[in-house]
Amino acid sequence: MNILVFSDTHLYLPFDGKKFDFLKKIISDADQVIINGDFFDEYMISFDDFINSPWNKLFPLLKSKKTVYIFGNHDQEKFSDQRLNFFSDVQTSIYQLSTINYQLIFTHGQQFRKTGDLFIPEIFKPFVSSVIRIVHFLRQTMVNIFGRNFLKARFAYRNIATKEKAIKTIKDNEFIIVGHNHWAEVDEKNHFACCGAILYGFAQYLTINSVSEKINLHEEWYK
């Protein structure tokens, strides 16, 4: 079985047709899908608007892949409702998958690297939305200029502290896979992986072969 694991797509409006086509392709190629948090971005789009947006054309495909949906910090459980069933079979904060040698543990990772948005009162959300839009614009500009190097310099360091905390929580036969940090990594020695992000025209994601237990890191441009 080929399992696709991705996170941090931060879907919102305006609709991005190139990202949609890319997601449709990688989801179609998988036998099962695990969305490891921040699928949509509540600070940029309400859950109701997301459900009714053009992104919903992905929902039947995701549903056909028995998708597991893991809550992130930008798509917390309190932001959504039972309509998550439109595109996922399981909704949870932590998902475990047993293979021959490992217990794979999937979680978005905000418990290891806490961010300010976890503590923002509802009244400040419109202000936060404006700030996040500006941040996305600036990051996109930097990616257009410096490409992959900007993303690595900006995000790769986040895995260091996350990994240090995460591996303290797992047993010898466990392997933890997070999102949240926006930079992909597979560290087999320390039983840690991050599935990166699909943002700014650059995609990082993981595929897992459930037979060989091989975790493969993929990255490519989709713009």
Side-chain angles (χ1 to χ4, degrees), residues 150-210:
F150 167 75
L151 293 171
K152 183 175 182 180
R154 177 64 184 85
F155 297 118
Y157 77 93
R158 293 176 171 183
N159 284 336
I160 298 172
T162 298
K163 185 192 307 185
E164 182 179 343
K165 292 179 180 178
I167 61 179
K168 291 179 180 178
T169 70
I170 62 175
K171 300 174 184 177
D172 290 342
N173 69 325
E174 295 177 335
F175 200 117
I176 194 161
I177 300 172
V178 303
H180 192 44
N181 293 336
H182 291 202
W183 189 256
E185 175 184 357
V186 177
D187 183 346
E188 295 183 355
K189 179 181 178 181
N190 287 300
H191 294 191
F192 173 87
C194 179
C195 45
I198 301 177
L199 283 170
Y200 315 123
F202 186 67
Q204 292 182 314
Y205 59 97
L206 306 178
T207 56
I208 302 173
N209 185 305
S210 61

Short mmCIF file of all heavy atoms in Angstrom, two decimals, residues 150-210:
data_model
loop_
_atom_site.label_atom_id
_atom_site.label_comp_id
_atom_site.label_asym_id
_atom_site.label_seq_id
_atom_site.Cartn_x
_atom_site.Cartn_y
_atom_site.Cartn_z
N PHE A 150 15.58 29.99 0.15
CA PHE A 150 14.90 30.83 1.14
C PHE A 150 14.07 29.97 2.09
O PHE A 150 14.11 30.17 3.31
CB PHE A 150 13.99 31.85 0.46
CG PHE A 150 13.05 32.53 1.42
CD1 PHE A 150 13.50 33.50 2.29
CD2 PHE A 150 11.71 32.14 1.49
CE1 PHE A 150 12.65 34.10 3.21
CE2 PHE A 150 10.84 32.74 2.39
CZ PHE A 150 11.31 33.72 3.26
N LEU A 151 13.33 29.01 1.55
CA LEU A 151 12.49 28.17 2.38
C LEU A 151 13.32 27.35 3.37
O LEU A 151 12.96 27.22 4.54
CB LEU A 151 11.65 27.24 1.50
CG LEU A 151 10.60 27.93 0.63
CD1 LEU A 151 9.99 26.95 -0.35
CD2 LEU A 151 9.52 28.56 1.50
N LYS A 152 14.43 26.82 2.89
CA LYS A 152 15.28 26.03 3.79
C LYS A 152 15.85 26.90 4.90
O LYS A 152 15.85 26.51 6.08
CB LYS A 152 16.42 25.37 3.01
CG LYS A 152 17.29 24.48 3.87
CD LYS A 152 18.34 23.75 3.05
CE LYS A 152 19.16 22.82 3.94
NZ LYS A 152 20.20 22.09 3.16
N ALA A 153 16.33 28.08 4.54
CA ALA A 153 16.89 28.98 5.55
C ALA A 153 15.84 29.44 6.55
O ALA A 153 16.13 29.61 7.74
CB ALA A 153 17.53 30.19 4.86
N ARG A 154 14.62 29.62 6.06
CA ARG A 154 13.55 30.15 6.92
C ARG A 154 12.95 29.09 7.83
O ARG A 154 12.56 29.39 8.98
CB ARG A 154 12.44 30.75 6.03
CG ARG A 154 11.23 31.29 6.80
CD ARG A 154 11.62 32.45 7.68
NE ARG A 154 10.48 32.91 8.48
CZ ARG A 154 10.12 32.38 9.65
NH1 ARG A 154 10.79 31.35 10.15
NH2 ARG A 154 9.09 32.87 10.32
N PHE A 155 12.88 27.83 7.38
CA PHE A 155 12.09 26.84 8.11
C PHE A 155 12.84 25.62 8.64
O PHE A 155 12.38 24.99 9.59
CB PHE A 155 10.94 26.36 7.24
CG PHE A 155 9.96 27.43 6.85
CD1 PHE A 155 9.76 27.78 5.52
CD2 PHE A 155 9.25 28.13 7.82
CE1 PHE A 155 8.86 28.76 5.17
CE2 PHE A 155 8.34 29.12 7.48
CZ PHE A 155 8.16 29.45 6.15
N ALA A 156 13.96 25.24 8.05
CA ALA A 156 14.59 23.97 8.40
C ALA A 156 14.99 23.89 9.87
O ALA A 156 14.91 22.82 10.50
CB ALA A 156 15.80 23.71 7.51
N TYR A 157 15.38 25.01 10.45
CA TYR A 157 15.84 25.00 11.85
C TYR A 157 14.75 24.55 12.81
O TYR A 157 15.03 24.07 13.91
CB TYR A 157 16.34 26.39 12.25
CG TYR A 157 15.22 27.37 12.54
CD1 TYR A 157 14.74 27.56 13.84
CD2 TYR A 157 14.61 28.09 11.51
CE1 TYR A 157 13.70 28.43 14.10
CE2 TYR A 157 13.57 28.96 11.76
CZ TYR A 157 13.12 29.13 13.05
OH TYR A 157 12.08 29.99 13.30
N ARG A 158 13.48 24.72 12.41
CA ARG A 158 12.37 24.38 13.30
C ARG A 158 12.38 22.91 13.70
O ARG A 158 11.90 22.53 14.77
CB ARG A 158 11.04 24.71 12.63
CG ARG A 158 10.78 26.19 12.41
CD ARG A 158 9.48 26.39 11.67
NE ARG A 158 9.06 27.77 11.59
CZ ARG A 158 7.93 28.17 11.03
NH1 ARG A 158 7.11 27.28 10.49
NH2 ARG A 158 7.61 29.45 11.00
N ASN A 159 12.90 22.07 12.82
CA ASN A 159 12.90 20.64 13.11
C ASN A 159 13.85 20.27 14.25
O ASN A 159 13.69 19.22 14.88
CB ASN A 159 13.27 19.84 11.86
CG ASN A 159 12.14 19.76 10.87
OD1 ASN A 159 10.98 19.89 11.22
ND2 ASN A 159 12.47 19.55 9.60
N ILE A 160 14.84 21.09 14.50
CA ILE A 160 15.85 20.74 15.50
C ILE A 160 15.23 20.62 16.89
O ILE A 160 15.34 19.59 17.56
CB ILE A 160 16.99 21.78 15.49
CG1 ILE A 160 17.70 21.80 14.13
CG2 ILE A 160 17.98 21.48 16.61
CD1 ILE A 160 18.71 22.92 13.98
N ALA A 161 14.57 21.69 17.34
CA ALA A 161 13.96 21.67 18.67
C ALA A 161 12.78 20.72 18.74
O ALA A 161 12.56 20.03 19.74
CB ALA A 161 13.52 23.08 19.07
N THR A 162 12.00 20.67 17.63
CA THR A 162 10.86 19.75 17.59
C THR A 162 11.32 18.31 17.75
O THR A 162 10.74 17.53 18.52
CB THR A 162 10.09 19.90 16.26
OG1 THR A 162 9.59 21.23 16.17
CG2 THR A 162 8.94 18.91 16.18
N LYS A 163 12.35 17.95 17.03
CA LYS A 163 12.87 16.57 17.10
C LYS A 163 13.37 16.24 18.50
O LYS A 163 13.09 15.16 19.02
CB LYS A 163 14.01 16.40 16.09
CG LYS A 163 14.55 14.99 15.99
CD LYS A 163 15.86 14.92 15.21
CE LYS A 163 15.76 15.57 13.85
NZ LYS A 163 16.99 15.39 13.06
N GLU A 164 14.08 17.18 19.09
CA GLU A 164 14.62 16.94 20.43
C GLU A 164 13.51 16.63 21.42
O GLU A 164 13.64 15.73 22.26
CB GLU A 164 15.41 18.18 20.88
CG GLU A 164 16.06 18.03 22.24
CD GLU A 164 16.85 19.26 22.64
OE1 GLU A 164 17.17 20.07 21.77
OE2 GLU A 164 17.14 19.40 23.85
N LYS A 165 12.40 17.36 21.33
CA LYS A 165 11.28 17.12 22.24
C LYS A 165 10.50 15.87 21.86
O LYS A 165 10.08 15.10 22.72
CB LYS A 165 10.36 18.34 22.24
CG LYS A 165 10.98 19.57 22.85
CD LYS A 165 10.03 20.75 22.81
CE LYS A 165 10.66 22.00 23.42
NZ LYS A 165 9.75 23.17 23.34
N ALA A 166 10.30 15.67 20.56
CA ALA A 166 9.46 14.57 20.11
C ALA A 166 10.06 13.21 20.44
O ALA A 166 9.36 12.29 20.89
CB ALA A 166 9.21 14.68 18.61
N ILE A 167 11.37 13.05 20.22
CA ILE A 167 11.96 11.72 20.41
C ILE A 167 12.03 11.33 21.88
O ILE A 167 12.21 10.16 22.21
CB ILE A 167 13.36 11.63 19.76
CG1 ILE A 167 14.34 12.62 20.39
CG2 ILE A 167 13.25 11.83 18.27
CD1 ILE A 167 15.75 12.55 19.79
N LYS A 168 11.86 12.30 22.77
CA LYS A 168 11.80 11.99 24.20
C LYS A 168 10.48 11.33 24.58
O LYS A 168 10.37 10.72 25.65
CB LYS A 168 12.02 13.25 25.03
CG LYS A 168 13.42 13.82 24.97
CD LYS A 168 13.53 15.08 25.81
CE LYS A 168 14.93 15.67 25.76
NZ LYS A 168 15.04 16.93 26.54
N THR A 169 9.49 11.44 23.70
CA THR A 169 8.16 10.93 24.02
C THR A 169 7.89 9.55 23.42
O THR A 169 6.85 8.96 23.70
CB THR A 169 7.07 11.89 23.50
OG1 THR A 169 7.04 11.87 22.06
CG2 THR A 169 7.34 13.32 23.96
N ILE A 170 8.80 9.05 22.58
CA ILE A 170 8.51 7.81 21.87
C ILE A 170 9.35 6.64 22.38
O ILE A 170 10.43 6.82 22.94
CB ILE A 170 8.71 7.97 20.34
CG1 ILE A 170 10.17 8.33 20.01
CG2 ILE A 170 7.77 9.03 19.79
CD1 ILE A 170 10.46 8.38 18.53
N LYS A 171 8.83 5.44 22.16
CA LYS A 171 9.53 4.21 22.53
C LYS A 171 10.41 3.76 21.37
O LYS A 171 10.34 4.29 20.26
CB LYS A 171 8.51 3.13 22.88
CG LYS A 171 7.60 3.52 24.04
CD LYS A 171 6.51 2.49 24.26
CE LYS A 171 5.55 2.92 25.36
NZ LYS A 171 4.43 1.97 25.56
N ASP A 172 11.22 2.73 21.63
CA ASP A 172 12.20 2.28 20.64
C ASP A 172 11.57 1.85 19.32
O ASP A 172 12.17 2.02 18.26
CB ASP A 172 13.04 1.13 21.20
CG ASP A 172 13.98 1.59 22.31
OD1 ASP A 172 14.23 2.81 22.39
OD2 ASP A 172 14.46 0.74 23.07
N ASN A 173 10.38 1.28 19.37
CA ASN A 173 9.76 0.77 18.15
C ASN A 173 8.81 1.78 17.50
O ASN A 173 8.09 1.46 16.57
CB ASN A 173 9.00 -0.53 18.44
CG ASN A 173 7.76 -0.29 19.31
OD1 ASN A 173 7.77 0.57 20.18
ND2 ASN A 173 6.71 -1.05 19.06
N GLU A 174 8.82 3.02 18.01
CA GLU A 174 7.92 4.05 17.48
C GLU A 174 8.67 5.01 16.56
O GLU A 174 9.88 5.25 16.73
CB GLU A 174 7.25 4.81 18.62
CG GLU A 174 6.32 3.93 19.44
CD GLU A 174 5.71 4.66 20.62
OE1 GLU A 174 6.32 5.64 21.11
OE2 GLU A 174 4.63 4.24 21.08
N PHE A 175 7.95 5.56 15.61
CA PHE A 175 8.50 6.51 14.64
C PHE A 175 7.49 7.65 14.54
O PHE A 175 6.33 7.43 14.22
CB PHE A 175 8.68 5.85 13.27
CG PHE A 175 9.64 6.54 12.35
CD1 PHE A 175 10.80 5.89 11.93
CD2 PHE A 175 9.39 7.82 11.86
CE1 PHE A 175 11.70 6.51 11.06
CE2 PHE A 175 10.27 8.45 11.01
CZ PHE A 175 11.42 7.80 10.60
N ILE A 176 7.92 8.87 14.85
CA ILE A 176 6.99 9.99 14.89
C ILE A 176 7.10 10.82 13.62
O ILE A 176 8.20 11.09 13.12
CB ILE A 176 7.21 10.85 16.15
CG1 ILE A 176 6.04 11.80 16.36
CG2 ILE A 176 8.54 11.60 16.11
CD1 ILE A 176 5.93 12.35 17.75
N ILE A 177 5.94 11.21 13.08
CA ILE A 177 5.88 11.98 11.84
C ILE A 177 5.03 13.22 12.09
O ILE A 177 3.84 13.12 12.41
CB ILE A 177 5.30 11.15 10.69
CG1 ILE A 177 6.18 9.91 10.45
CG2 ILE A 177 5.19 11.97 9.41
CD1 ILE A 177 5.60 8.91 9.47
N VAL A 178 5.64 14.40 11.94
CA VAL A 178 4.95 15.66 12.22
C VAL A 178 4.81 16.49 10.94
O VAL A 178 5.40 16.20 9.90
CB VAL A 178 5.71 16.49 13.29
CG1 VAL A 178 5.87 15.69 14.57
CG2 VAL A 178 7.07 16.96 12.77
N GLY A 179 4.02 17.55 11.06
CA GLY A 179 3.95 18.60 10.04
C GLY A 179 4.44 19.88 10.70
O GLY A 179 5.48 19.89 11.35
N HIS A 180 3.71 20.99 10.53
CA HIS A 180 3.85 22.20 11.34
C HIS A 180 5.10 23.03 11.02
O HIS A 180 5.05 24.25 11.07
CB HIS A 180 3.84 21.81 12.82
CG HIS A 180 3.71 22.95 13.78
ND1 HIS A 180 2.81 23.99 13.60
CD2 HIS A 180 4.35 23.23 14.95
CE1 HIS A 180 2.91 24.84 14.61
NE2 HIS A 180 3.83 24.40 15.44
N ASN A 181 6.22 22.39 10.69
CA ASN A 181 7.48 23.12 10.59
C ASN A 181 7.80 23.64 9.19
O ASN A 181 8.75 24.38 8.99
CB ASN A 181 8.64 22.25 11.09
CG ASN A 181 8.55 22.00 12.57
OD1 ASN A 181 7.94 22.76 13.30
ND2 ASN A 181 9.14 20.91 13.03
N HIS A 182 7.04 23.20 8.19
CA HIS A 182 7.16 23.70 6.81
C HIS A 182 8.48 23.32 6.14
O HIS A 182 8.84 23.93 5.11
CB HIS A 182 6.97 25.22 6.75
CG HIS A 182 5.58 25.67 7.03
ND1 HIS A 182 5.08 26.89 6.63
CD2 HIS A 182 4.54 25.07 7.70
CE1 HIS A 182 3.82 27.02 7.02
NE2 HIS A 182 3.48 25.93 7.68
N TRP A 183 9.20 22.36 6.69
CA TRP A 183 10.40 21.86 6.01
C TRP A 183 10.51 20.35 6.24
O TRP A 183 10.52 19.90 7.39
CB TRP A 183 11.68 22.54 6.48
CG TRP A 183 12.83 22.16 5.59
CD1 TRP A 183 13.82 21.28 5.86
CD2 TRP A 183 13.06 22.62 4.25
NE1 TRP A 183 14.67 21.16 4.78
CE2 TRP A 183 14.22 21.98 3.78
CE3 TRP A 183 12.39 23.52 3.41
CZ2 TRP A 183 14.73 22.20 2.50
CZ3 TRP A 183 12.90 23.74 2.13
CH2 TRP A 183 14.05 23.09 1.69
N ALA A 184 10.59 19.59 5.16
CA ALA A 184 10.56 18.13 5.26
C ALA A 184 11.91 17.55 5.65
O ALA A 184 12.97 18.07 5.28
CB ALA A 184 10.09 17.53 3.94
N GLU A 185 11.84 16.44 6.37
CA GLU A 185 13.05 15.74 6.82
C GLU A 185 12.66 14.30 7.16
O GLU A 185 11.58 14.06 7.69
CB GLU A 185 13.63 16.42 8.05
CG GLU A 185 14.82 15.71 8.66
CD GLU A 185 15.33 16.34 9.94
OE1 GLU A 185 14.78 17.40 10.34
OE2 GLU A 185 16.25 15.78 10.55
N VAL A 186 13.55 13.37 6.86
CA VAL A 186 13.38 12.00 7.32
C VAL A 186 14.67 11.60 8.02
O VAL A 186 15.73 11.50 7.39
CB VAL A 186 13.07 11.02 6.17
CG1 VAL A 186 12.99 9.59 6.70
CG2 VAL A 186 11.77 11.40 5.47
N ASP A 187 14.61 11.41 9.32
CA ASP A 187 15.77 11.03 10.14
C ASP A 187 15.50 9.64 10.69
O ASP A 187 14.91 9.48 11.75
CB ASP A 187 15.95 12.05 11.26
CG ASP A 187 17.18 11.77 12.12
OD1 ASP A 187 17.74 10.66 12.03
OD2 ASP A 187 17.57 12.66 12.91
N GLU A 188 15.93 8.63 9.94
CA GLU A 188 15.66 7.25 10.34
C GLU A 188 16.35 6.89 11.65
O GLU A 188 15.81 6.13 12.45
CB GLU A 188 16.08 6.30 9.22
CG GLU A 188 15.25 6.47 7.95
CD GLU A 188 15.64 5.47 6.87
OE1 GLU A 188 16.62 4.70 7.08
OE2 GLU A 188 14.98 5.45 5.82
N LYS A 189 17.53 7.42 11.87
CA LYS A 189 18.28 7.11 13.09
C LYS A 189 17.51 7.50 14.34
O LYS A 189 17.46 6.75 15.32
CB LYS A 189 19.63 7.81 13.07
CG LYS A 189 20.47 7.57 14.31
CD LYS A 189 21.79 8.32 14.25
CE LYS A 189 22.60 8.11 15.52
NZ LYS A 189 23.89 8.86 15.49
N ASN A 190 16.88 8.68 14.30
CA ASN A 190 16.16 9.18 15.47
C ASN A 190 14.66 8.93 15.41
O ASN A 190 13.91 9.43 16.25
CB ASN A 190 16.42 10.68 15.63
CG ASN A 190 17.82 10.97 16.13
OD1 ASN A 190 18.21 10.52 17.21
ND2 ASN A 190 18.59 11.70 15.34
N HIS A 191 14.22 8.16 14.39
CA HIS A 191 12.81 7.80 14.25
C HIS A 191 11.93 9.06 14.20
O HIS A 191 10.90 9.15 14.88
CB HIS A 191 12.36 6.89 15.40
CG HIS A 191 13.01 5.55 15.38
ND1 HIS A 191 12.58 4.51 16.17
CD2 HIS A 191 14.05 5.06 14.67
CE1 HIS A 191 13.34 3.45 15.96
NE2 HIS A 191 14.24 3.77 15.04
N PHE A 192 12.34 10.01 13.36
CA PHE A 192 11.63 11.28 13.26
C PHE A 192 11.51 11.69 11.80
O PHE A 192 12.44 11.53 11.01
CB PHE A 192 12.39 12.37 14.02
CG PHE A 192 11.85 13.76 13.83
CD1 PHE A 192 10.83 14.24 14.64
CD2 PHE A 192 12.35 14.59 12.83
CE1 PHE A 192 10.33 15.53 14.46
CE2 PHE A 192 11.85 15.88 12.65
CZ PHE A 192 10.85 16.35 13.47
N ALA A 193 10.34 12.23 11.45
CA ALA A 193 10.15 12.79 10.12
C ALA A 193 9.22 13.98 10.19
O ALA A 193 8.35 14.07 11.07
CB ALA A 193 9.59 11.74 9.15
N CYS A 194 9.41 14.91 9.27
CA CYS A 194 8.50 16.02 9.08
C CYS A 194 8.10 16.02 7.61
O CYS A 194 8.96 15.84 6.73
CB CYS A 194 9.16 17.35 9.45
SG CYS A 194 8.08 18.79 9.21
N CYS A 195 6.81 16.19 7.34
CA CYS A 195 6.35 16.08 5.95
C CYS A 195 6.33 17.40 5.20
O CYS A 195 5.88 17.45 4.05
CB CYS A 195 4.98 15.40 5.89
SG CYS A 195 3.76 15.97 7.06
N GLY A 196 6.87 18.46 5.78
CA GLY A 196 7.06 19.69 5.03
C GLY A 196 5.77 20.46 4.80
O GLY A 196 4.87 20.47 5.65
N ALA A 197 5.67 21.11 3.65
CA ALA A 197 4.51 21.94 3.33
C ALA A 197 4.31 21.98 1.82
O ALA A 197 5.22 21.62 1.06
CB ALA A 197 4.69 23.36 3.88
N ILE A 198 3.13 22.40 1.41
CA ILE A 198 2.85 22.62 0.00
C ILE A 198 2.37 24.06 -0.11
O ILE A 198 1.19 24.38 0.02
CB ILE A 198 1.80 21.62 -0.53
CG1 ILE A 198 2.33 20.18 -0.34
CG2 ILE A 198 1.49 21.87 -2.00
CD1 ILE A 198 1.35 19.09 -0.75
N LEU A 199 3.33 24.95 -0.32
CA LEU A 199 3.10 26.39 -0.29
C LEU A 199 4.06 27.10 -1.24
O LEU A 199 5.16 26.61 -1.51
CB LEU A 199 3.34 26.95 1.12
CG LEU A 199 2.27 26.73 2.19
CD1 LEU A 199 2.83 27.14 3.57
CD2 LEU A 199 1.03 27.54 1.89
N TYR A 200 3.65 28.25 -1.72
CA TYR A 200 4.50 29.15 -2.48
C TYR A 200 5.04 28.51 -3.76
O TYR A 200 6.12 28.86 -4.24
CB TYR A 200 5.67 29.64 -1.61
CG TYR A 200 5.25 30.08 -0.24
CD1 TYR A 200 5.80 29.49 0.90
CD2 TYR A 200 4.27 31.06 -0.07
CE1 TYR A 200 5.39 29.88 2.18
CE2 TYR A 200 3.86 31.44 1.21
CZ TYR A 200 4.41 30.86 2.32
OH TYR A 200 4.00 31.24 3.58
N GLY A 201 4.30 27.54 -4.30
CA GLY A 201 4.72 26.89 -5.53
C GLY A 201 5.70 25.75 -5.33
O GLY A 201 6.15 25.13 -6.30
N PHE A 202 6.02 25.44 -4.06
CA PHE A 202 7.00 24.39 -3.75
C PHE A 202 6.34 23.35 -2.85
O PHE A 202 5.70 23.70 -1.86
CB PHE A 202 8.22 24.99 -3.05
CG PHE A 202 9.33 24.02 -2.80
CD1 PHE A 202 10.05 23.48 -3.86
CD2 PHE A 202 9.67 23.64 -1.51
CE1 PHE A 202 11.11 22.60 -3.63
CE2 PHE A 202 10.72 22.76 -1.27
CZ PHE A 202 11.43 22.23 -2.35
N ALA A 203 6.49 22.09 -3.21
CA ALA A 203 5.83 21.02 -2.46
C ALA A 203 6.84 20.05 -1.88
O ALA A 203 7.76 19.61 -2.56
CB ALA A 203 4.86 20.26 -3.38
N GLN A 204 6.64 19.73 -0.61
CA GLN A 204 7.34 18.63 0.04
C GLN A 204 6.27 17.74 0.69
O GLN A 204 5.33 18.24 1.30
CB GLN A 204 8.31 19.13 1.10
CG GLN A 204 9.51 19.89 0.55
CD GLN A 204 10.45 20.33 1.65
OE1 GLN A 204 10.03 20.85 2.68
NE2 GLN A 204 11.74 20.13 1.45
N TYR A 205 6.45 16.45 0.53
CA TYR A 205 5.49 15.51 1.11
C TYR A 205 6.18 14.15 1.23
O TYR A 205 7.28 13.93 0.70
CB TYR A 205 4.23 15.40 0.24
CG TYR A 205 4.46 14.97 -1.18
CD1 TYR A 205 4.31 13.64 -1.57
CD2 TYR A 205 4.82 15.89 -2.17
CE1 TYR A 205 4.52 13.23 -2.88
CE2 TYR A 205 5.03 15.50 -3.48
CZ TYR A 205 4.88 14.17 -3.83
OH TYR A 205 5.10 13.78 -5.13
N LEU A 206 5.53 13.24 1.95
CA LEU A 206 6.08 11.91 2.17
C LEU A 206 5.19 10.86 1.55
O LEU A 206 3.97 11.04 1.46
CB LEU A 206 6.20 11.61 3.67
CG LEU A 206 6.97 12.59 4.54
CD1 LEU A 206 6.92 12.14 6.00
CD2 LEU A 206 8.41 12.75 4.08
N THR A 207 5.80 9.76 1.13
CA THR A 207 5.04 8.55 0.82
C THR A 207 5.63 7.41 1.63
O THR A 207 6.84 7.37 1.87
CB THR A 207 5.08 8.20 -0.68
OG1 THR A 207 6.44 8.06 -1.12
CG2 THR A 207 4.36 9.25 -1.51
N ILE A 208 4.76 6.53 2.08
CA ILE A 208 5.19 5.40 2.91
C ILE A 208 4.72 4.12 2.24
O ILE A 208 3.53 3.96 1.94
CB ILE A 208 4.60 5.49 4.32
CG1 ILE A 208 5.02 6.80 4.99
CG2 ILE A 208 5.04 4.29 5.17
CD1 ILE A 208 4.34 7.05 6.33
N ASN A 209 5.65 3.21 2.02
CA ASN A 209 5.31 1.88 1.52
C ASN A 209 5.06 1.01 2.74
O ASN A 209 5.98 0.74 3.52
CB ASN A 209 6.44 1.32 0.66
CG ASN A 209 6.09 -0.01 0.02
OD1 ASN A 209 5.71 -0.96 0.68
ND2 ASN A 209 6.22 -0.07 -1.30
N SER A 210 3.84 0.57 2.92
CA SER A 210 3.47 -0.15 4.14
C SER A 210 4.10 -1.55 4.20
O SER A 210 4.14 -2.16 5.27
CB SER A 210 1.95 -0.27 4.26
OG SER A 210 1.42 -0.98 3.15
#
